[in-house]
Amino acid sequence: MNGLKLTHYINPSPSLIGQNAFEFLSFLGGPAVIHIDGKDNSRCRVIVTLLHGNEPSGLKAVHTLISQSFLPETAVKIIIASVIAAHTEPVFSHRMLAGQRDLNRCFSGQVSDLQGQLAKAIKEQIFAFKPEAIIDLHNTSGSGPAFSVSVADHADNLALASHFTRRLIHTDIRLGSIMEQDFGCPVITVEAGGAQDQEADQNARLGLLSFLSATDPFVLQQELEVLNHPRRLEIRADATIGFSDSPDLSKHITILQDVEKLNFGVTEASQMLGWVEQNGRGLEHFQLDDPTQNVSRYFGLKNGQITTKQALKLFMVTTRADIAKSDCLFYFVEV
């Protein structure tokens, strides 16, 4: 696995990449870098997408731009990562292949496994490109509005986000993601919206057009709502979770089936989110990313129902049990 290499495609012809995103995956074959010449090739911008194989909006947007022979302002390097996971049936349903780590948790720390080697290869490529800006383009784990995330709230990061979204999450959470790395230039993550939402495909496409067409990408395009220092509500490894409109007695935790509707709205105190098993461990099935904080500060139990204890704004809410267990149920900030 040492020396894992990415396949490089230089200015691929629209006739070669296929008629749609599925054919585009077949063309790529595996992790790849697409090099697109721009009006000014002395400058470079980097797009990273498909770090998760079930998040196709970025791939679709890239396919559209190449199909239309789009000419960007600068040279563009497009890194398309989890091609094999995305191409595995059912197509665009696997975040990563079974038994492998989440690629976007592999950019810090060990590189011994395949995902670590791929993350290392991607980092090395980006360092070699010396870009002026990096966009990491994703879909959210559930249906919901688009937003951006950054570990810095510098004006340049806000400006990059404004090409894509009207919300920026300024986070102090460190998970080993690509946006946490120091590449010597601003880097943000864009969550274009849910993978099943047509609006997400449009957000990704229009955002890339705006970002790649701008002579100066660091000019604010729209005012942003900035949410600072979110927390993650995580599910403990030994807990089981389901989603239903009534308690699932076979699970430790049941979350409301329509919980995604709470994305980015103000969730008032005493909002019911679901249930925990009667006479069980209650809130002990949950944990926060910050071990110094207690779940009970934000959430409570009333007759087995999970409720909020204060007004919160939830985002990246998922109704996929596998993602809730391997990543988190949602992020939240205090209102």
Side-chain angles (χ1 to χ4, degrees), residues 197-229:
D197 300 341
Q198 289 187 354
E199 186 178 357
D201 296 344
Q202 177 174 289
N203 290 338
R205 178 175 53 83
L206 294 180
L208 283 184
L209 276 172
S210 175
F211 169 63
L212 297 176
S213 299
T215 303
D216 181 358
F218 303 116
V219 175
L220 196 69
Q221 303 297 305
Q222 58 182 322
E223 291 300 317
L224 291 176
E225 176 189 14
V226 179
L227 302 176
N228 289 297
H229 306 309

Side-chain angles (χ1 to χ4, degrees), residues 137-182:
L137 192 48
H138 288 257
N139 287 106
T140 54
S141 299
S143 182
F147 61 96
S148 300
V149 190
S150 176
V151 297
D153 59 353
H154 188 276
D156 286 348
N157 298 69
L158 271 63
L160 291 180
S162 72
H163 289 280
F164 295 86
T165 67
R166 60 185 183 88
R167 294 184 180 91
L168 176 79
I169 311 299
H170 175 217
T171 182
D172 58 357
I173 297 171
R174 299 295 183 267
L175 300 169
S177 70
I178 195 169
M179 73 171 176
E180 299 164 24
Q181 311 308 307
D182 182 2

Side-chain angles (χ1 to χ4, degrees), residues 5-7 9 16-17 21-34 50 59 80-88:
K5 302 294 184 183
L6 306 177
T7 303
Y9 298 96
L16 295 178
I17 65 170
F22 304 101
E23 293 180 5
F24 192 24
L25 285 176
S26 297
F27 165 77
L28 294 170
V33 183
I34 297 178
L50 211 67
L59 180 80
I80 304 177
S82 296
V83 173
I84 296 172
H87 202 258
T88 301

